[in-house]
Amino acid sequence: MLRLDYNNMMEAAVGSRGITEAELEALQGRFADAHTAMVSKRAAGKMDFRDLPRNQIAAAEEILDYVKETEARADMDVDAFVLLGIGGSALGPMAVQQAINNPYYNELSLEERGGHPKFYVADNVDPERLVYLFKTVDPKHCLFNVVSKSGSTSETMSQFMIIKELLERELGKEDTRKRIVCTTDQSNGNLIKIAREEGYKTFYIPAGVGGRFSQLCPVGLLPAAFCGIDILELLRGAAEMDDVCKRGNVRENPAYMYAALHYIAMGKGMNISVMMPYADSLKYISDWYAQLWAESLGKRYNTRGEEVFAGQTPVKALGVTDQHSQVQLYAEGPFDKLVVFLGVDEYREALTIPKSFGDVPSLGFLGGVTHNELINVERMATEYALQKAGRPSMTITLPKVDERGLGQLLYLFEAATAFAGELMGINAFDQPGVEEGKNAAYAYFGRPGYEEKKKELDARPAKSERYVI
Ligand code: PA5
């Protein structure tokens, strides 16, 4: 199991800006209430992401069969799996693929990839993105996975429209059909309607599961399976973490403790939370987590409708790379952040530094040391430096980066985010601040139903001439 070490969050380690046992004790009542709310919401079907590790096993098995069949089809010859999705539909799949596979996965031969296709994610609508993708892979040899819960996300649906038209022009309708697989809501939205009309293969996102909490359903499981990732192990790891995260006592529940420490830290002005994995494989976990933490907890109103402007800004960093970039700020800058280190006990590869330059004192000491020791010692040294500078941090350590550990980690962060939402008294599962921008874009393009918004846009004062060239 992964472990959460929060010693360096405490006053005993970092001094006055740390958290005291008394502060943790004083919040026991609040923690108990938040736990009760978590339990009753889950029982009432209002926290459906929590059941995914167990109720998605059948979906995972269906996915594995589909992957096997598709890869065996001579008439498909799938060279690349291309995911069309954004936000919660893209960040998890990218993070899991990067964590488990060789970082140069797409450059490996088919055999080295275990017979699985290359993997690409097209999330942004920068026009260069798709054009360059099609200079890299042949769309006629791709399988396109359109992932959208709402089926109305302009970025995803516009990419789908471009690709569908292109494929139908080149391959005809019949052959296009087998190259498109949709992941969406089973009964609501445009995508399910289109998928049924066009006869596309479809996987479902459970109705009560929002984008950023959807990695453990077909949103994440389908792309992962096409990349040869053991999705049943991923679910197993998540289920193990679920068992731990059911515990009511904050001191025995890593998700609760993680959220509680962040909550207290926010109250002390630590409005920035840095996620710093010491493993290249976990770099994109920080991207996925940043969305989860930011979109879930950044809220103007609490659940009582009072203005609270809540939230904590997630910052992504990478150890050791960012020791040479950001750690100076973390150690000596404003006291507005806490750092979460992600460590790994056992890396999947080992590398020993040769005993060259033995007569150069500033290099000789490295001879015979492994990179495995070096990265872990550098993490420990950075933890120490921050502690000495009075900066709170905590460390989550995975025994190794594998599917089981990753399932535990993803689930830990999801449960922690939900618990933090309860402590903060906000709704962690909506995103009203994102809707305004989406609606303005719809209005700009004249989408029916957005006429009032268009008037609002048109009524904006003209921009003055404050330009600098
Ligand atoms: O977490 C979320 O809810 C969002 O990031 C969504 O995943 C994102 O906006 C994409 O939405 P959809 O799946 O409806 O296309």
Side-chain angles (χ1 to χ4, degrees):
M1 277 304 259
L2 59 74
R3 50 189 195 276
L4 167 68
D5 173 351
Y6 64 97
N7 280 291
N8 287 340
M9 284 299 293
M10 304 303 285
E11 188 188 42
V14 291
S16 63
R17 289 192 165 77
I19 291 168
T20 61
E21 290 296 338
E23 281 170 321
L24 274 172
E25 273 316 300
L27 283 168
Q28 285 306 323
R30 184 120 190 196
F31 298 153
D33 290 347
H35 172 64
T36 306
M38 295 274 286
V39 172
S40 57
K41 282 185 185 166
R42 185 174 189 171
K46 290 183 184 152
M47 231 180 244
D48 287 358
F49 81 89
R50 299 220 46 185
D51 299 322
L52 298 179
R54 292 184 177 84
N55 72 16
Q56 292 300 293
I57 291 174
E61 277 158 359
E62 191 194 335
I63 285 170
L64 290 170
D65 288 343
Y66 172 67
V67 171
K68 218 169 168 185
E69 265 166 42
T70 309
E71 288 179 348
R73 281 178 72 161
D75 63 330
M76 297 251 321
D77 191 15
V78 178
D79 177 43
F81 178 97
V82 180
L83 187 154
L84 312 177
I86 197 161
S89 301
L91 292 162
M94 283 194 264
V96 167
Q97 194 271 341
Q98 294 278 334
I100 300 295
N101 285 338
N102 181 320
Y104 306 105
Y105 180 78
N106 282 347
E107 288 156 51
L108 303 177
S109 67
L110 180 64
E111 201 187 351
E112 287 165 326
R113 293 196 308 269
H116 301 294
K118 294 173 191 151
F119 177 66
Y120 295 92
V121 176
D123 55 354
N124 204 357
V125 285
D126 176 340
E128 295 174 14
R129 182 90 166 239
L130 267 192
V131 173
Y132 282 124
L133 178 62
F134 293 147
K135 288 179 196 278
T136 311
V137 294
D138 180 353
K140 298 195 293 303
H141 289 282
C142 291
L143 179 68
F144 293 96
N145 181 203
V146 192
V147 189
S148 179
K149 175 101 194 274
S150 62
S152 60
T153 302
S154 305
E155 296 85 351
T156 305
M157 296 307 280
S158 64
Q159 286 171 329
F160 165 52
M161 285 147 86
I162 292 168
I163 283 158
K164 177 177 184 294
E165 197 265 344
L166 183 152
L167 288 180
E168 287 183 350
R169 193 165 7 98
E170 301 217 358
L171 293 174
K173 230 173 156 45
E174 201 52 41
D175 277 357
T176 297
R177 182 168 300 134
K178 63 189 184 213
R179 294 201 175 270
I180 294 176
V181 47
C182 299
T183 307
T184 188
D185 192 278
Q186 186 160 10
S187 41
N188 293 314
N190 303 315
L191 189 53
I192 188 63
K193 281 194 212 102
I194 296 170
R196 288 198 176 126
E197 275 161 29
E198 300 285 336
Y200 299 145
K201 175 75 186 165
T202 309
F203 290 96
Y204 301 120
I205 307 171
V209 175
R212 55 193 178 273
F213 290 87
S214 67
Q215 176 54 29
L216 298 169
C217 76
V219 171
L221 299 179
L222 180 66
F226 265 106
C227 293
I229 291 166
D230 188 339
I231 55 175
L232 292 171
E233 273 294 286
L234 201 65
L235 292 176
R236 180 160 85 102
E240 285 170 339
M241 185 51 72
D242 178 44
D243 289 338
V244 174
C245 292
K246 281 180 192 153
R247 298 173 186 157
N249 184 344
V250 169
R251 290 178 192 277
E252 292 170 5
N253 181 328
Y256 284 9
M257 182 54 93
Y258 183 94
L261 294 169
H262 276 78
Y263 175 70
I264 300 172
M266 277 184 243
K268 290 170 173 275
M270 283 171 249
N271 294 319
I272 297 173
S273 172
V274 178
M275 173 73 65
M276 192 163 181
Y278 272 69
D280 272 23
S281 58
L282 299 177
K283 182 176 176 184
Y284 292 92
I285 291 291
S286 303
D287 284 58
W288 168 82
Y289 170 80
Q291 185 215 7
L292 182 70
W293 199 248
E295 203 165 89
S296 303
L297 304 180
K299 298 289 153 68
R300 178 171 175 175
Y301 298 104
N302 65 16
T303 47
R304 292 196 298 273
E306 297 152 351
E307 242 176 11
V308 286
F309 299 108
Q312 190 185 41
T313 305
V315 167
K316 303 173 271 185
L318 178 67
V320 304
T321 307
D322 283 309
Q323 285 180 204
H324 300 268
S325 163
Q326 299 183 38
V327 167
Q328 168 63 31
L329 171 74
Y330 303 162
E332 293 190 353
F335 287 90
D336 57 359
K337 47 187 89 57
L338 66 91
V339 179
V340 178
F341 294 105
L342 298 184
V344 178
D345 281 334
E346 200 188 310
Y347 290 84
R348 288 165 290 190
E349 301 292 342
L351 201 58
T352 305
I353 305 165
K355 292 186 175 156
S356 334
F357 310 120
D359 52 345
V360 183
S362 60
L363 296 177
F365 74 96
L366 288 172
V369 169
T370 64
H371 264 187
N372 311 54
E373 289 168 289
L374 188 58
I375 193 165
N376 272 329
V377 167
E378 291 208 33
R379 174 170 56 79
M380 179 277 295
T382 306
E383 285 171 18
Y384 167 72
L386 292 188
Q387 180 215 327
K388 208 171 159 199
R391 314 296 172 135
S393 74
M394 60 180 100
T395 302
I396 297 172
T397 307
L398 274 77
K400 63 178 182 199
V401 180
D402 57 10
E403 287 89 340
R404 190 173 162 200
L406 205 60
Q408 292 172 7
L409 188 69
L410 296 170
Y411 194 90
L412 168 78
F413 285 142
E414 290 179 0
T417 303
F419 192 66
E422 291 301 333
L423 292 178
M424 293 161 72
I426 52 100
N427 179 355
F429 303 103
D430 65 359
Q431 52 281 326
V434 183
E435 301 307 320
E436 186 63 41
K438 276 192 199 172
N439 294 342
Y442 295 151
Y444 179 89
F445 286 113
R447 178 174 159 179
Y450 291 80
E451 295 75 13
E452 284 308 310
K453 188 59 65 188
K454 177 80 170 71
K455 282 186 206 152
E456 204 180 294
L457 270 186
D458 292 343
R460 283 174 306 164
K463 279 202 171 155
S464 64
E465 297 199 350
R466 290 195 192 95
Y467 293 105
V468 177
I469 296 169

